[in-house]
Each structure stands twice: as structure tokens, then as C-alpha cells.
Amino acid sequence: MSDQIPTVNPFGQADDPIPMYRELRECPIGRMDFGQKRPSFVVSRYADVRYVLKNAEIFSSCEAIDIGNDRPMIPLQIDPPEHAKYRRLMDPYLGPREVAKLEDDIRKLTNQIIDGFIDKDQINFHEEFAVPLPCTMFLRLVGLPIEDMEMFVGWKDDIIRPDVEWGDVEAAAEIREKTGAKIYDYFGGVIDERLANPGDDLLSEFVHGEVEGRSLTKEEILDICYLFILAGLDTVTATLDCYFAYLASHPEQRQAIVDDPGVIPAVVEELLRHETPVQVFPRTVSREVTMHGVDLEPGDHVLVVLGSANTDPEEFEDADEVHFDRQDNRHLAFGGGPHRCLGSHFARLELRIALEEFHKRIPEYSVLAGAGVSFSPGIREVADLPLILTAEGARQ
Amino acid sequence: MKVSVDDAVCVGHGRCYAVAPEVFGADDNGHCVVHRAVVDGVLADKARLAARNCPEEAITAAD
Ligand code: HEM
Ligand code: SF4
């Protein structure tokens, strides 16, 4: 049976992944060869992706990723039931009530960033907006020095997108290992400092936080920090790139936002669905299970393709099209099941405010003619997004 | 119409209280709390819409 499974690459075609997603769903279980001992099976239909996410006792997160970390990252690589004790500690700090308090701060920062380029006719959206807005907010929230942003972003990039030939697994592992050591070293120092001088930032809360009536160990706090740097500094940037690359080349939809900003919360959801910035993430099989006639064995890897789930016509009407008035939208851009993105309430708030303020002040913009817009695979960012800010008179 | 949420299934996506804030709210963790367990008319429509937007299918909205 397993030789009949088509070989696929869910990391291909990040610029326009929708046709690739369609092919994946037809398989419907594909296979990707990373040169690992055990096969990686690719799961792509909405119902199958939901099944994997929901059943953590069959599809474990523990061993699924090795990106320079010495121990499992918390809570990403902890399975239920243990997982819940960490989420109980962390969830309130990133719950909707707590993050709502940041709204004014985010709005102010967004406008300060726009002030910096409002008189220019052309910007690199990624560098001038998509990086500084979420990264500054994240560092403020966690309580890390804004001056060191470039260093943190550099570490995060070295781990998520190590600069090596595609497929050179060893060179990538070496970069990740080195960067990982720097992250542990840096945060080791910060944790000691917060133990001595607690502030009202998130890191202080974790340093002094308790699970099951005991304090977190230093290793546990490090394992949270490692994940936070990666999860918090990359995804909102990539999502903003996806949004503005889309809107800059779809003037009618851009205009719809300018004409009625009330549509923005729906835009946030619909573009999360259609663009799905985090395309794929992994699980490891921990119990025998059969999917579509394919027997998965403990130790096999599974790649969950959120992008193809989010464009599955079995779940979404006109799945490949963007409709801001879509009524039913159970998209999985933040994952689902117990590991639902911890930062989703914070990310949604930032995305909404960014769309509101940008369109209020810069109602017309487009991609520089002739510029190729290229997305990185895995987490779709556009590192070079030259936008022309048109209609100077309309800018404010 | 009666509205309920299965706490064991809800993981706090927050779609329900975003689309139907009159019917659902959030606890400190962002998980769903039902504000109105019995609704009709427009609010019943909204509760059904919320149920259809919950990725975990945690909400029951039925007569
Ligand atoms: C639009 C932006 C974002 C997207 C698309 C996104 C996406 C995701 C996805 C798909 C997962 C699930 C991974 C899995 O199940 O294996 C996840 C988990 C996570 N995200 Fe996000 N994320 C975003 C923003 C953020 C931000 C801003 C933070 C931090 C403040 C964050 C922190 C986390 C954490 C800690 C987890 C692990 C949760 C767990 O394992 O229980 N994310 N995210
Ligand atoms: S949308 Fe579903 S999972 Fe999310 S808070 Fe509401 S009931 Fe819970």
C-alpha cells in the first residue's frame, strides 16, 4: 500500500499555494521524504486535519520538532494532560480581556510607525511596517529591551529560515544549534535578573508563576522563552505581509475596506483563512491508526497542512475565493485542539488595528510595477514587499 | 432555542463571542461562557452563526 502513496512537497509553491493544496487533497494522504528514518505522511483535507489536531493521544507533539532546542518547548511540545497545567498558567495573560488593555498602545505605535513613512512614495512594507509593529509590541509585552530587536529577530530567522541550500539538513541543524545556545544563554541571564527584580511584564509573571502549587523551574521558564521568541516574533509579521501583498494587488477589496472599516474583523478572518500564513506543522504518531487505508505506525511523522484544510471545498463554499461577507468560517489558521495558538487573541487585535489605521491614513497603495512578490515556504513571509503609496493628497 | 457549550471541547478560539457577543462571553482564559442560555429571534440566528464558526464544534444551539 505505502508504495502507492504519492510523493508530495507541501513546502513548494508558497507564492501561490492553492493549486498545490488542491492536488494534496486529492491524494488524500501524501508522503514526503526528508531523508529521515521514518516516513512523513501529509494530511491535507479539512476533516482529516481536524481529526489529527483533536486527537493528541494519537498524534503527539512531543518529538515532532527539533530546531536547536535541548528540551521540548513549552507548551508546544507537551502533550495533554500535562499540557493543560502550563496553559492554565499562561492563558490568562494572553486572554481577550488582558490583551484588550493593549489596544490604545498598539494604535499609538501603529500611527508612530506610519508617521515615519507617510511622506514617502515608496516603502518596503516588510521592513518598515510588518517587522517593527508586532516585534515592538511583543517585546514590550514580554518585557525585553526594544534596542535588541534586531538581535532577537536575527535569532528567530536563523532558527526558522536558516540561510542554507534547500534540503541541506546538516548545515541547518548546525546554525540552529549555535543560535539555540545563544538563546539559552541570554534568557538564563534575564531570568536571574527577573527573579531578583520582578516587573509587571510577562516574563516576570512566568518567572514567579506557579503550576500545581510549585514554582516553575528555570529550565521550564527557558523552554517557554525559547518558544516565545520563535512564535511571537515571526507570525504576525508574516501575516501582515500576506494581507498587504494580497490587498495591494486586489484594489476592489482594498477599496471595500476603505469604504467600510466595519468589515475589518471579517477581513482579518477571511484573509487568515485564504492566505494561511502558517502552512504546515508536524506531529508524531504515537498509536497505530489507519487513515484513508494508510496504516500509520508509532514513530511515523505526520505533516498537517493547514492551508489545504482552509481551502477545502468540502468545508468552505467558493473555498478558493476571498469573500469578506463569508458567514461560516471555521478556519484553522491558528491550529485547533489543545494547542490552539496561545497568541491568537493578541495577534487578531494587532491585525485588526493595523488594517484600520493603515487604511485610514493610506487609502491607496499598490505593489511596485514589475516587482516579483516572493513568499517563503512554511511560514509565508514576503521579505521584500515594495509598496507604492499613491494619491498623496489622500494620505493623512 | 437553547444554547450550551461543551467546556471539555472548547479551547478558546473566541469566534463565538466575536460573532455573537450578546449570547457568549469569555472567561479569563478566553474560553466561552454562555450569557444567555435561552434565546429567540435575531439572537437565535446569531447563536447558530456562532456555532457554525466554532472550529471545535463546541456549541450546541438547538430547539
Ligand atoms: C497571526 C499570527 C499567528 C499565527 C498564524 C499563529 C499560528 C499558530 C499555530 C498554527 C499554532 C499551533 C501549532 C501546533 O498545534 O503545533 C500556534 C501555537 C502557538 N502560538 Fe501562535 N500564531 C500567531 C501568533 C502568535 C503570537 C503573537 C504568539 C505569542 C505572543 C504566539 C504564541 C503561540 C504559542 C505559545 C503556541 C503554542 C501553543 C500550545 O502548544 O499550546 N502565536 N500558533
Ligand atoms: S469559538 Fe468554540 S472553541 Fe472558541 S471560545 Fe467559542 S466555543 Fe470555545
Side-chain angles (χ1 to χ4, degrees), chain A residues 99-392:
Chain A
V99 301
K101 296 178 188 160
L102 300 170
E103 170 144 6
D104 291 345
D105 227 22
I106 300 173
R107 207 175 287 283
K108 206 163 132 200
L109 176 66
T110 308
N111 278 296
Q112 282 165 351
I113 292 172
I114 296 175
D115 288 341
F117 57 68
I118 189 77
D119 296 325
K120 292 200 221 165
D121 294 323
Q122 181 182 333
I123 59 169
N124 181 341
F125 179 81
H126 177 79
E127 263 172 35
E128 296 182 63
F129 190 81
V131 172
L133 173 62
C135 293
T136 306
M137 276 319 298
F138 175 79
L139 295 177
R140 278 189 198 168
L141 175 78
V142 180
L144 293 169
I146 311 290
E147 313 82 84
D148 291 342
M149 178 150 70
E150 228 170 287
M151 177 180 79
F152 298 123
V153 173
W155 288 347
K156 173 272 289 181
D157 281 333
D158 280 344
I159 292 205
I160 297 180
R161 303 179 187 81
D163 188 10
V164 297
E165 287 288 315
W166 170 248
D168 190 344
V169 184
E170 274 165 39
E174 196 178 317
I175 294 180
R176 286 174 171 146
E177 198 81 24
K178 273 196 196 139
T179 311
K182 288 185 213 163
I183 296 179
Y184 285 124
D185 187 51
Y186 177 89
F187 280 96
V190 178
I191 291 167
D192 288 341
E193 193 262 325
R194 293 303 144 88
L195 273 169
N197 305 305
D200 57 3
D201 52 84
L202 203 53
L203 207 66
S204 299
E205 300 290 355
F206 292 157
V207 167
H208 295 271
E210 287 190 357
V211 287
E212 296 174 334
R214 63 161 177 90
S215 306
L216 291 173
T217 66
K218 188 164 176 184
E219 288 196 342
E220 285 174 316
I221 303 166
L222 280 172
D223 300 339
I224 292 175
C225 291
Y226 202 98
L227 173 62
F228 253 63
I229 281 290
L230 302 181
L233 286 179
D234 199 69
T235 43
V236 182
T237 296
T239 307
L240 287 169
D241 287 345
C242 288
Y243 280 15
F244 281 80
Y246 180 88
L247 292 168
S249 46
H250 292 82
E252 277 173 32
Q253 272 148 331
R254 176 183 51 71
Q255 193 59 41
I257 295 177
V258 175
D259 292 343
D260 176 17
V263 77
I264 288 174
V267 175
V268 168
E269 301 307 322
E270 177 66 346
L271 290 182
L272 272 169
R273 179 191 74 80
H274 188 262
E275 296 300 307
T276 312
V278 178
Q279 292 182 275
V280 183
F281 55 74
R283 292 287 189 263
T284 305
V285 177
S286 57
R287 250 190 231 176
E288 276 176 28
V289 65
T290 303
M291 291 182 80
H292 297 284
V294 179
D295 296 325
L296 310 186
E297 308 278 341
D300 288 349
H301 305 284
V302 171
L303 292 171
V304 183
V305 188
L306 295 179
S308 59
N310 280 344
T311 48
D312 187 342
E314 290 288 320
E315 169 66 22
F316 302 97
E317 240 174 85
D318 291 338
D320 293 348
E321 287 164 35
V322 170
H323 291 306
F324 294 162
D325 59 354
R326 187 179 292 282
Q327 292 293 303
D328 299 358
N329 192 350
R330 300 190 298 165
H331 73 76
L332 302 171
F334 290 112
H339 292 279
R340 186 270 305 164
C341 175
L342 176 67
S344 66
H345 301 286
F346 182 49
R348 282 184 160 119
L349 181 65
E350 290 185 305
L351 293 166
R352 171 168 67 75
I353 295 172
L355 287 174
E356 285 170 359
E357 297 305 312
F358 198 96
H359 289 92
K360 207 183 285 172
R361 299 191 58 190
I362 306 172
E364 280 179 42
Y365 54 91
S366 56
V367 180
L368 173 69
V373 174
S374 162
F375 290 77
S376 62
I379 302 181
R380 301 177 67 224
E381 72 165 32
V382 187
D384 192 13
L385 182 56
L387 289 190
I388 300 290
L389 312 184
T390 38
E392 193 176 358

Side-chain angles (χ1 to χ4, degrees), chain A residues 46 50 54 88 91-92 95-97 269 327-332 335-338 340 344-345 348, chain B residues 9 11-15 17-19 26-31 48-49 51-57:
Chain A
Y46 186 92
R50 278 281 302 135
K54 217 179 155 98
R88 259 196 296 277
D91 272 347
R97 236 193 300 284
E269 301 307 322
Q327 292 293 303
D328 299 358
N329 192 350
R330 300 190 298 165
H331 73 76
L332 302 171
R340 186 270 305 164
S344 66
H345 301 286
R348 282 184 160 119
Chain B
V9 176
V11 300
H13 285 274
R15 297 286 295 133
Y17 45 85
V19 301
D27 68 10
D28 282 340
N29 293 335
H31 289 212
R48 273 191 286 264
L49 182 66
R52 295 201 306 271
N53 275 279
C54 170
E56 309 294 331
E57 299 177 77

Side-chain angles (χ1 to χ4, degrees), chain A residues 45-59:
Chain A
R45 291 186 184 171
Y46 186 92
D48 296 336
V49 166
R50 278 281 302 135
Y51 176 75
V52 171
L53 295 180
K54 217 179 155 98
N55 292 287
E57 71 291 354
I58 308 176
F59 301 96

